[in-house]
Amino acid sequence: MENKFADVIIDISHEKVDRPFQYRIPDEMKSELKVGMCVRFPFGNGNKMRMGYVVEIKDTPDYPEEKIKELSQIVTENLPMEARSIKLAGWMKHRYGGTMIQAMKTVLPVKQEMKPVMQKEVSLVVTQDVACDCLAQAQAKKQVGKVRLLEALLSGATVNYSMLTSKLSVSPQTIKSMEAQGILRVESFREYRNPIRFAEGRTEKKELTPQQQRIVEAFLRDYDEGNRKPALLHGVTGSGKTEIYMQLIEGMLMRGKQTIVLIPEIALTYQTVLRFYQRFGDVVSVMNSKLSAGEKYDQFLRAKEGKVKVMIGPRSALFTPFKELGLIVIDEEHEPVYKSDAMPRYHAREVATELARMTGACVFMGSATPSLESNYKAQTGEYRKYVLSERIGDAKLPEVELVDMAGELKSGNMTMFSRLLQEEMRKTFSRGEQMMLFLNRRGVAGFVSCKACGHVLKCPHCDVSLSEHKNRMICHYCGYEAPKVTKCPECGSKYIYGFRAGTEKIEEKVKEMFPTARVLRMDADTTRKKGDYETILAAFAAGEADVLIGTQMIVKGHDFKNVTLVGVLAADLSLYASDYRAGERTFQLLAQAVGRAGRGAKEGKAVIQTYQPEHYSLQHCIAQDYDSFYEEEMTYRRLMDYPPSHHMLALLLSGADEAETERCARFLAESIRRERIPVRVIGPAPASIGKINDRYRQVLYIKHTKEEELIRTKDVVERTMEGNEEAFKGVQIWFDFDPVQSY
Ligand code: ADP
Ligand code: ZN
Ligand code: ZN
């Protein structure tokens, strides 16, 4: 055999070293080394030791052999990457930009091998009679430890080792000597750290409604015939989408296939996981950011070994190392959290589609308010579409009423509760039913301003206002903190404080209006500790409170049967966000909020308070008519060449020197124009937040109907930067395709 060579990607995220480097594989490593392994090697002129991953193994070198250095070592404590993950990472780098190592780290959610948790069990190897004789002897000799040990072993087949040594205070020496005498046996086994701790107990599957049944049958029939076109399920809130996911998962289990279920982290609650667990038992597992490293690692292993067949988690659960992936479910597919906000800025929907293509799996997305993108693809035939138009059973969609808050003010009502909402709250209390009050705070910072001169307190490092938190003021962009001011630095007035319309204020007000009401509040302050979120929801579900007040957090996917009223305070705050998706976001949020009411046998009602009652997002929401909202929103997107009618690439530059950053941005815009790619280049312009962390930000927007042209543009930008290293030394650059935020 020839000398073998390994191409490695070095674990440094810098454009300069963002390519494979070739090394010779030493003889003793040849049989062991595989693609995907982490290795150590000398790098650069100084031969400094570096780590990286093997992406290819070759028989012949690509360079003169004498120039090729040798690998030093395999790093066994880092997990190897699967060949499939490397391919997916390559695709992500190509599709979204950034370095290969960034992409590789993204697809490898668990990096380090963790020590296994071992458990030991003790059991008898002699007959009961022999053990009884031993016990009698020990009792005679008053050997208390031995007595307890034998009693325990005689009462059960196996006994946990640590239980013996801790609870029963049997000394390890006693166990050891009896093992040596051949009376008992100690066995070790690996215990998997399991993040799910539920009581056993299965729920039977529900008999599907004819509508549900048709969808499940059609999907599985298509699946068996090899149709892998992504599917979109548009089902109103409470129409039984989750039930469909579960039937599809069952179909996959019957075919020996595994399923990834993506859920926005915020909706990934005890309730949701419990529902899956009770249906499928411990082949279900979960991945989320709250798991310890050990728990994550063990889930990863169990998935790889095929012990887990259904993995539920946020977007990173896509990278579960299943060998027999059959289905990827994306619940609430319209949620912006499916877009990553770190390089590579991937969208889970797109990566899921690529992963499915690579593995022969299929993507199934569901939403009550599909993203414009997905609905557009369903219309152009790129996706299949299924519709569930009615709620399960007798449950009806709630009646929605809009209240013009400007009108309230005119008629002398100065509170944040309209007369209609107050009246509905009173009725709901008197019927003993529950209600949810939702404060839409998206796009509103709790900025601190002087009520006398209008001065706004800003972060000294960023171009944003500071937010008030208890006794401090915080910058959400860089973490800068300062004590709260009591006097305006501009005019000396003491009337300087934050914009207060928080959940706390609403709670106070509710208690004032209805002194006997039992109120729960869910916001950043009441959900600091792990488990707080679940505790509040469980208490509300158990009927321990009449009112649940909260922000976005409370509108996601919960199924409270006794909630008959939903109040939306300040529905329009999200409309002020300077973002082309503001209308879509508002419609989605309101539809979700409204959908919380009337999920049981009783009819529900929703009251939406707003200062813009004529806005089309709100009007379509009262009508609960997604399709007409979609048409109107699409007209606007087409007119403005916004996604999904066009694709858009945001190119973000940041640098410590303002003029330098601007010059670089101009230079890039020029080079794109020079290449004559038929894209439209807008800008550069300072980003809407012009400075973060003392770095100035410039943004360029590039539009075209075809994604490939934008990818070409990205490649041009990367080449330009490589060719002009010196000029771009001080700037950083990001690509964001079809951004879900504005810059
Ligand atoms: P969605 O995910 O669309 O909000 P769910 O799947 O949570 O809807 O269903 C809403 C409620 O209806 C749940 O309580 C669920 O258990 C129940 N449900 C769903 N499908 C059926 C069915 N075929 N028969 C009876 N109850 C059902
Ligand atoms: Zn002032
Ligand atoms: Zn700051």
Side-chain angles (χ1 to χ4, degrees):
M1 173 106 61
E2 286 290 316
N3 251 355
K4 279 198 189 170
F5 302 90
D7 281 354
V8 300
I9 294 282
I10 188 167
D11 189 357
I12 300 174
S13 190
H14 195 285
E15 296 80 24
K16 242 171 122 171
V17 294
D18 187 28
R19 61 177 178 87
F21 290 89
Q22 199 159 69
Y23 283 82
R24 194 194 335 274
I25 307 172
D27 286 339
E28 67 279 10
M29 227 186 257
K30 272 182 188 156
S31 58
E32 204 186 336
L33 191 75
K34 302 255 161 18
V35 167
M37 283 182 169
C38 185
V39 286
R40 225 184 289 278
F41 44 83
F43 187 77
N45 292 335
N47 280 336
K48 205 171 162 198
M49 275 298 158
R50 293 289 191 182
M51 285 212 300
Y53 287 91
V54 177
V55 289
E56 224 180 313
I57 293 180
K58 295 171 175 168
D59 280 342
T60 47
D62 298 338
Y63 306 93
E65 267 211 60
E66 63 280 7
K67 288 199 175 166
I68 302 181
K69 298 178 202 172
E70 198 162 79
L71 291 180
S72 309
Q73 192 186 8
I74 298 178
V75 182
T76 47
E77 56 271 23
N78 276 27
L79 287 173
M81 293 187 72
E82 314 262 318
R84 179 177 94 191
S85 305
I86 295 176
K87 245 171 84 189
L88 188 61
W91 179 85
M92 286 169 77
K93 172 183 157 55
H94 167 72
R95 174 68 183 73
Y96 301 106
T99 62
M100 184 63 182
I101 196 74
Q102 281 172 329
M104 287 168 79
K105 287 187 164 173
T106 307
V107 301
L108 189 66
V110 176
K111 280 153 205 91
Q112 296 248 311
E113 188 146 354
M114 302 293 293
K115 267 219 190 81
V117 178
M118 299 306 289
Q119 285 284 355
K120 285 193 279 188
E121 271 183 350
V122 183
S123 57
L124 284 174
V125 289
V126 296
T127 63
Q128 294 261 323
D129 288 347
V130 176
C132 283
D133 287 346
C134 289
L135 176 61
Q137 281 172 25
Q139 277 164 338
K141 291 188 195 159
K142 297 215 164 30
Q143 293 166 318
V144 286
K146 206 165 166 181
V147 169
R148 277 197 297 268
L149 173 58
L150 284 162
E151 279 174 350
L153 289 173
L154 278 163
S155 65
T158 56
V159 183
N160 188 286
Y161 184 95
S162 54
M163 206 275 283
L164 287 172
T165 51
S166 61
K167 285 239 175 63
L168 297 182
S169 330
V170 178
S171 73
Q173 292 89 318
T174 308
I175 300 178
K176 212 165 173 188
S177 78
M178 288 180 67
E179 187 182 18
Q181 290 166 32
I183 296 168
L184 55 78
R185 171 171 57 206
V186 180
E187 279 172 311
S188 323
F189 63 92
R190 170 164 202 159
E191 185 191 60
Y192 287 106
R193 283 159 279 224
N194 192 346
I196 305 185
R197 284 174 208 89
F198 292 131
E200 277 296 327
R202 293 287 183 97
T203 45
E204 284 312 304
K205 66 176 177 208
K206 299 205 159 54
E207 194 173 324
L208 294 186
T209 63
Q211 245 192 343
Q212 286 174 318
Q213 186 70 30
R214 269 198 299 279
I215 295 172
V216 170
E217 276 170 10
F219 182 85
L220 291 176
R221 191 184 52 235
D222 285 356
Y223 184 88
D224 288 335
E225 285 171 1
N227 184 348
R228 296 291 186 271
K229 192 185 262 197
L232 171 67
L233 169 61
H234 176 200
V236 298
T237 51
S239 59
K241 293 186 291 297
T242 311
E243 217 50 49
I244 289 188
Y245 305 152
M246 293 204 280
Q247 292 278 338
L248 296 182
I249 292 169
E250 188 176 287
M252 288 301 133
L253 291 173
M254 279 162 29
R255 288 162 178 77
K257 294 288 181 185
Q258 294 160 315
T259 306
I260 294 169
V261 183
L262 299 187
I263 289 182
E265 177 123 32
I266 197 165
L268 188 59
T269 58
Y270 177 81
Q271 275 195 334
T272 349
V273 181
L274 181 66
R275 216 168 141 188
F276 284 87
Y277 188 79
Q278 289 193 326
R279 178 72 175 276
F280 299 111
D282 59 13
V283 298
V284 173
S285 189
V286 12
M287 277 272 179
N288 69 45
S289 60
K290 289 196 193 115
L291 299 191
S292 68
E295 283 174 334
K296 270 191 195 154
Y297 176 67
D298 283 3
Q299 298 327 297
F300 195 86
L301 272 197
R302 288 176 67 217
K304 212 164 171 165
E305 289 167 5
K307 293 190 178 102
V308 171
K309 296 186 166 49
V310 182
M311 182 63 86
I312 309 179
R315 80 180 171 246
S316 60
L318 269 180
F319 309 116
T320 305
F322 279 149
K323 291 209 166 70
E324 287 296 334
L325 184 62
L327 179 70
I328 305 171
V329 171
I330 308 180
D331 189 28
E332 314 270 10
E333 67 81 31
H334 63 275
E335 279 293 324
V337 292
Y338 284 127
K339 179 84 187 262
S340 170
D341 52 12
M343 283 302 281
R345 294 179 186 234
Y346 70 94
H347 199 297
R349 215 161 36 215
E350 293 161 355
V351 175
T353 309
E354 176 61 17
L355 179 63
R357 204 189 54 72
M358 281 169 50
T359 56
C362 197
V363 178
F364 190 91
M365 297 162 266
S367 172
T369 50
S371 61
L372 274 255
E373 274 84 355
S374 295
N375 208 52
Y376 183 75
K377 286 189 169 151
Q379 291 207 333
T380 56
E382 206 174 313
Y383 291 173
R384 283 173 278 173
K385 186 169 175 180
Y386 301 109
V387 178
L388 282 176
S389 49
E390 272 161 27
R391 281 191 161 179
I392 292 291
D394 297 328
K396 285 196 218 50
L397 284 172
E399 184 195 336
V400 185
E401 284 198 63
L402 214 55
V403 180
D404 178 5
M405 290 307 277
E408 287 292 305
L409 195 67
K410 268 197 213 116
S411 17
N413 179 6
M414 314 281 280
T415 71
M416 18 200 311
F417 292 84
S418 62
R419 287 160 298 173
L420 177 70
L421 182 55
Q422 292 184 28
E423 176 59 19
E424 290 297 331
M425 287 173 72
R426 203 187 48 71
K427 284 196 227 157
T428 309
F429 280 124
S430 65
R431 288 195 302 260
E433 292 163 5
Q434 290 175 295
M435 70 193 80
M436 291 164 90
L437 296 178
F438 166 57
L439 179 69
N440 182 357
R441 293 196 46 168
R442 209 162 233 155
V444 190
F447 64 91
V448 181
S449 65
C450 171
K451 305 298 175 258
C453 76
H455 178 71
V456 173
L457 289 177
K458 284 193 159 186
C459 173
H461 309 290
C462 310
D463 189 15
V464 295
S465 49
L466 294 170
S467 296
E468 196 174 32
H469 279 264
K470 296 256 141 75
N471 295 317
R472 314 201 49 83
M473 292 180 311
I474 297 174
C475 170
H476 287 305
Y477 287 85
C478 74
Y480 170 85
E481 273 193 41
K484 201 139 119 187
V485 292
T486 49
K487 244 164 91 182
C488 172
E490 280 295 305
C491 74
S493 156
K494 60 181 198 264
Y495 296 103
I496 182 161
Y497 44 80
F499 168 79
R500 291 210 190 97
T503 42
E504 226 167 317
K505 203 81 183 170
I506 296 173
E507 180 179 14
E508 268 168 40
K509 197 72 200 163
V510 171
K511 285 182 171 156
E512 205 178 294
M513 292 189 296
F514 304 99
T516 57
R518 296 164 304 161
V519 182
L520 282 172
R521 177 165 59 90
M522 181 136 89
D523 54 27
D525 287 333
T526 62
T527 53
R528 276 178 209 283
K529 288 197 311 295
K530 188 172 167 174
D532 282 347
Y533 186 81
E534 279 79 10
T535 312
I536 296 175
L537 291 178
F540 190 60
E544 288 163 26
D546 308 298
V547 191
L548 175 61
I549 300 169
T551 51
Q552 280 79 280
M553 283 182 192
I554 66 171
V555 305
K556 298 283 146 58
H558 312 299
D559 199 8
F560 303 113
K561 299 268 189 274
N562 199 34
V563 171
T564 55
L565 176 64
V566 166
V568 181
L569 302 126
D572 26 26
L573 289 184
S574 60
L575 290 176
Y576 296 123
S578 61
D579 175 351
Y580 72 92
R581 292 178 196 258
E584 182 182 1
R585 285 287 141 69
T586 303
F587 180 82
Q588 285 163 347
L589 268 173
L590 293 183
Q592 292 283 345
V594 165
R596 295 310 107 203
R599 291 173 73 96
K602 298 165 203 146
E603 267 178 50
K605 180 152 193 161
V607 177
I608 298 179
Q609 305 189 152
T610 176
Y611 288 95
Q612 298 180 60
E614 69 296 335
H615 193 283
Y616 68 95
S617 288
L618 303 186
Q619 286 298 333
H620 291 302
C621 183
I622 320 178
Q624 303 192 48
D625 186 350
Y626 173 82
D627 291 329
S628 54
F629 166 75
Y630 172 80
E631 288 307 331
E632 185 154 0
E633 183 70 21
M634 267 316 286
T635 313
Y636 154 69
R637 303 279 178 99
R638 280 196 195 97
L639 201 68
M640 304 297 290
D641 293 348
Y642 283 139
S645 104
H646 276 59
H647 286 285
M648 194 155 102
L649 166 63
L651 198 68
L652 203 71
L653 289 92
S654 87
D657 186 301
E658 191 170 11
E660 184 70 15
T661 311
E662 196 188 321
R663 204 186 50 72
C664 286
R666 269 186 219 295
F667 187 76
L668 286 181
E670 266 317 301
S671 27
I672 297 167
R673 290 191 182 108
R674 247 198 325 270
E675 292 278 329
R676 300 190 186 285
I677 308 174
V679 294
R680 228 173 90 205
V681 182
I682 302 153
S688 61
I689 299 172
K691 182 175 80 166
I692 291 181
N693 237 335
D694 292 320
R695 293 179 71 88
Y696 294 89
R697 291 148 55 91
Q698 288 272 327
V699 65
L700 271 165
Y701 282 104
I702 297 132
K703 290 184 188 177
H704 196 273
T705 48
K706 291 208 188 70
E707 212 165 70
E708 299 83 74
E709 297 296 349
L710 296 186
I711 296 176
R712 264 180 70 199
T713 309
K714 175 211 76 187
D715 294 341
V716 166
V717 169
E718 285 182 335
R719 272 204 311 273
T720 308
M721 291 184 63
E722 273 162 32
N724 297 275
E725 232 173 71
E726 203 46 38
F728 285 94
K729 215 168 56 194
V731 300
Q732 245 184 324
I733 187 155
W734 292 273
F735 300 99
D736 193 347
F737 286 85
D738 293 342
V740 298
Q741 65 186 94
S742 56
Y743 293 103

